[in-house]
């Protein structure tokens, strides 16, 4: 049995729908992980101890355990305590929080690395600590780690394939469905891989544009 | 009615120590409205610490700082104190050795950040304010530049405009020209002279003896946490009484002429 790519066009609608879901879930999780990362970083550095300590535990949970397990826990586990999330939402939350923790690590380091004089200058003008963080320190810290955050977002795109296991019909699951009907794994996995690659290129293009814009204000 | 004998800025028995190390030993300093005071002295003498105590960046461990009829470093519960000090600092402009401009904001953004946030000025008012202040320091043509596109002297002039935009009652200069290339010092000095002519009250920590002599009403020489000698610049620079002052100035002049 040789390779036969002529079966692909018949399933292109399913595959393209998968692409749309993959983009949606990646975008949702990326936004959550970005703002979540900033929020977590500020909490980890400046929160009172009774916020910091539980956050450390939460951080350990998300960095020290497999993402797959986290998705299972959020989708299947939370039902038992009455939180029944749609698969898509569970996927966005799982991926988003997972990468928020990684982004938070980057942003924390960057916040610490912002020159002390910046906080001093802002405080001298009469800004409160919170205002100075929000308007002066955090924007600079985030700007400094845009490239590594971009890398995390590429990883996030690839890890979005994991949400297929909780039944989100994203690209990988769509390919598997097509394979189920046609028994042609090579063809459809290659097609799926090609689409991941194209999405990846698009993301890199967007990230480069963001980096360049941010670069101007250095 | 203002009584010219009541000090505008009043530092009473300032003490500061880090553990056993005493950085300020019972220093008092009165500055009248419109007066310009220079603090000189070797590094480690406590002059920057004293300056930074005025707006409570480095809180004193003893003594009081008053601006007009308000105590700056009064003892309050944390939250109230934060509110109080943020209010107070709006009245005290500060210029740093390393400029500390906000690199992610344009020149305009640097000047208008605090007025916009703290005084609730509209965009139009902010623009007007920025143009006014930048014009004063000769940086109006760079209003849409970013700090990284400016020379050191230009950065410092923007930093001065940023401080002035809050309409402070006092300006503090912490070695404002020490980090500048020699040829850029003059442009910053000119701006400071202009402020002096407008009778801005200023406290200046500096190594520029020539500038201090030309601009200041009073000079303090500090060493090892105490004010060794103070007086009008003519006396302080021409024939100081104290031996330590004489030695410091002699060394300083020798270095400057090298």
């Amino acid at each position: 049995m040789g390779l036969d790519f002529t079966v692909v066009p018949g399933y292109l609608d399913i595959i393209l729908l998968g692409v749309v879901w993959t983009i949606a879930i990646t975008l949702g999780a990326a936004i959550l992980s970005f703002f979540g990362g900033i929020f977590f970083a500020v909490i980890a550095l400046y929160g009172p101890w009774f916020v910091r300590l539980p956050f450390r535990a939460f951080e350990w949970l998300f960095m020290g355990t497999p993402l797959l397990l986290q998705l299972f826990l959020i989708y299947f586990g939370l039902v038992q305590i009455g939180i029944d999330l749609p698969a898509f939402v569970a996927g966005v939350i799982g991926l988003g929080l997972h990468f928020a923790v990684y982004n938070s690590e980057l942003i924390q380091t960057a916040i610490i690395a912002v020159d002390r004089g910046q906080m001093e200058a802002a405080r001298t003008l009469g800004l409160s600590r919170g205002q100075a963080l929000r308007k002066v320190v955090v924007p600079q810290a985030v700007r400094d780690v845009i490239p590594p955050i971009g890398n995390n977002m590429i990883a996030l795109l690839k890890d979005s394939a994991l949400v297929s296991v909780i039944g989100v019909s994203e690209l990988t699951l769509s390919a598997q469905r097509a394979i189920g009907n046609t028994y042609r794994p090579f063809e459809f996995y290659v097609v799926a891989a090609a689409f991941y690659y194209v999405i990846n290129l698009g993301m890199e293009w967007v990230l480069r544009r963001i980096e360049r814009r941010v670069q101007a204000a250095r | 009615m203002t009584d010219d004998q009541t000090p505008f800025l009043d530092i009473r028995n300032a003490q500061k120590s880090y553990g056993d190390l005493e950085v300020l030993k019972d220093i008092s300093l009165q500055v009248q409205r419109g007066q310009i005071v220079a603090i000189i002295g070797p590094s480690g003498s406590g002059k920057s610490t004293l300056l930074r105590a005025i707006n409570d960046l480095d809180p004193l461990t003893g003594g009081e700082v008053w601006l007009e009829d308000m105590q700056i470093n009064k003892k309050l519960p944390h939250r109230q104190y934060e509110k109080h000090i943020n209010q107070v600092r709006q009245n005290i402009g500060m210029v740093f050795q390393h400029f500390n401009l906000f690199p992610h904001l344009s020149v305009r953004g640097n000047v208008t950040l605090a007025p916009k946030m703290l005084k609730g000025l509209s965009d139009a008012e902010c623009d007007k304010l920025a143009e006014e202040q930048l014009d004063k320091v000769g940086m109006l043509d760079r209003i849409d530049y970013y700090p990284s596109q400016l020379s050191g002297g230009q950065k410092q002039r923007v930093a001065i405009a940023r401080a002035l935009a809050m309409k402070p009652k006092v300006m503090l200069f912490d070695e404002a020209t020490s980090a500048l290339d020699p040829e850029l010092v003059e442009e910053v000095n000119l701006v400071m002279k202009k402020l002096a002519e407008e009778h801005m009250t200023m406290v200046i920590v500096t190594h520029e003896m020539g500038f201090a002599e030309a601009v200041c009403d009073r000079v303090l020489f500090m060493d090892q946490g105490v004010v060794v000698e103070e007086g009008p610049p003519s006396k302080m620079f021409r024939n100081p009484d104290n031996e330590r002052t004489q030695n410091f100035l002699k060394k300083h002049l020798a270095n400057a002429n090298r």
Side-chain angles (χ1 to χ4, degrees), chain A residues 21 58 69 101 112 123 133 184 203 205:
Chain A
W21 278 109
F58 169 83
L69 189 117
V101 169
I112 294 167
R123 295 303 309 268
L133 277 176
R184 293 212 162 264
M203 247 175 108
W205 182 79

Side-chain angles (χ1 to χ4, degrees), chain A residues 1 5 42 53 58 62 66 70 84 87 93 101 126 144 160 168 195 201 212 215:
Chain A
M1 187 164 126
F5 278 92
V42 171
L53 284 184
F58 169 83
F62 273 88
Q70 293 159 21
D84 189 0
I93 290 176
V101 169
D144 291 341
S160 73
V168 180
F195 274 112
L201 285 181
R212 209 173 312 149
Q215 213 53 256

Side-chain angles (χ1 to χ4, degrees), chain B residues 9-249:
Chain B
L9 179 68
D10 191 1
I11 301 172
R12 302 175 190 164
N13 309 102
Q15 292 160 31
K16 169 89 179 171
S17 46
Y18 298 98
D20 289 339
L21 181 70
E22 274 189 275
V23 188
L24 300 177
K25 301 169 189 164
D26 197 26
I27 292 186
S28 292
L29 166 66
Q30 281 79 41
V31 183
Q32 308 298 333
R33 186 193 294 272
Q35 217 177 32
I36 299 161
V37 175
I39 307 175
I40 60 171
S43 52
S45 60
K47 53 194 194 307
S48 280
T49 309
L50 180 64
L51 193 74
R52 290 161 58 88
I54 294 174
N55 61 4
D56 214 47
L57 272 187
D58 278 342
L60 293 174
T61 41
E64 297 178 355
V65 184
W66 290 73
L67 179 64
E68 294 182 298
D69 51 1
M70 175 177 56
Q71 188 183 351
I72 293 174
N73 63 339
K74 63 180 162 192
K75 297 269 170 288
L76 287 170
H78 180 72
R79 243 163 225 252
Q80 282 172 42
Y81 176 76
E82 284 294 308
K83 226 172 145 180
H84 156 79
I85 199 69
N86 292 335
Q87 199 62 42
V88 168
R89 283 179 179 149
Q90 296 188 28
N91 299 305
I92 306 175
M94 187 161 195
V95 176
F96 301 87
Q97 182 177 1
H98 296 288
F99 331 125
N100 296 348
L101 288 183
F102 307 133
H104 62 303
L105 299 177
S106 67
V107 166
R108 184 199 305 269
N110 268 276
V111 175
T112 57
L113 177 72
K116 188 181 265 176
M117 289 186 82
L118 303 175
K119 295 187 172 170
L121 299 191
S122 69
D123 285 353
E125 288 168 321
C126 278
D127 282 343
K128 189 164 161 274
L129 180 69
E131 282 159 21
E132 239 169 59
Q133 300 306 328
L134 288 168
D135 191 35
K136 188 179 268 181
V137 300
M139 289 294 294
L140 187 52
D141 56 332
R142 297 285 192 273
I143 191 165
D144 288 316
Y145 282 50
Y146 280 91
S148 62
Q149 298 167 305
L150 306 176
S151 72
Q154 292 174 327
K155 282 182 194 168
Q156 196 59 299
R157 286 190 279 151
V158 172
I160 294 172
R162 176 176 71 178
L164 291 175
M166 290 302 286
K167 314 273 178 186
K169 294 173 178 168
V170 186
M171 285 286 283
L172 310 177
F173 291 85
D174 192 2
E175 300 194 25
T177 55
S178 296
L180 296 175
D181 292 340
E183 73 270 22
L184 302 177
V185 169
E186 198 48 33
E187 64 185 70
V188 174
N189 281 347
L190 280 174
V191 170
M192 290 168 70
K193 273 184 191 149
K194 203 162 151 191
L195 287 181
E197 283 158 17
E198 293 170 10
H199 304 292
M200 173 64 83
T201 310
M202 300 198 264
V203 183
I204 302 171
V205 167
T206 185
H207 289 293
E208 299 275 321
M209 301 307 158
F211 177 75
E213 184 167 0
V215 172
C216 297
D217 303 306
R218 236 165 88 210
V219 178
L220 266 75
F221 172 65
M222 277 181 72
D223 193 14
Q224 295 177 348
V226 295
V227 176
V228 175
E229 187 173 356
E230 69 165 294
S234 53
K235 173 165 171 45
M236 288 291 285
F237 291 115
R238 300 298 161 198
N239 57 11
D241 296 329
N242 192 288
E243 199 183 334
R244 272 198 275 175
T245 319
Q246 291 163 5
N247 283 336
F248 171 75
L249 288 173

Side-chain angles (χ1 to χ4, degrees), chain A residues 9-89:
Chain A
Y11 289 89
L12 210 54
D13 51 345
I14 295 178
I15 299 288
L16 285 176
L17 202 61
V19 168
V20 171
W21 278 109
T22 287
I23 292 175
I25 208 156
T26 302
L27 209 61
I31 291 167
L32 179 62
S33 77
F34 180 72
F35 291 104
I38 295 171
F39 180 69
F40 290 162
V42 171
I43 279 186
L45 290 176
Y46 303 101
W49 66 269
F50 56 86
V51 177
R52 269 202 322 268
L53 284 184
F55 175 74
R56 286 284 163 218
F58 169 83
E59 198 179 43
W60 177 86
L61 180 75
F62 273 88
M63 291 186 96
T65 61
L67 175 55
L68 187 62
L69 189 117
Q70 293 159 21
L71 290 171
F72 283 152
L73 190 64
I74 291 171
Y75 186 58
F76 298 115
L78 289 185
V79 177
Q80 282 176 275
I81 55 168
I83 305 173
D84 189 0
L85 299 167
F88 176 78
V89 176

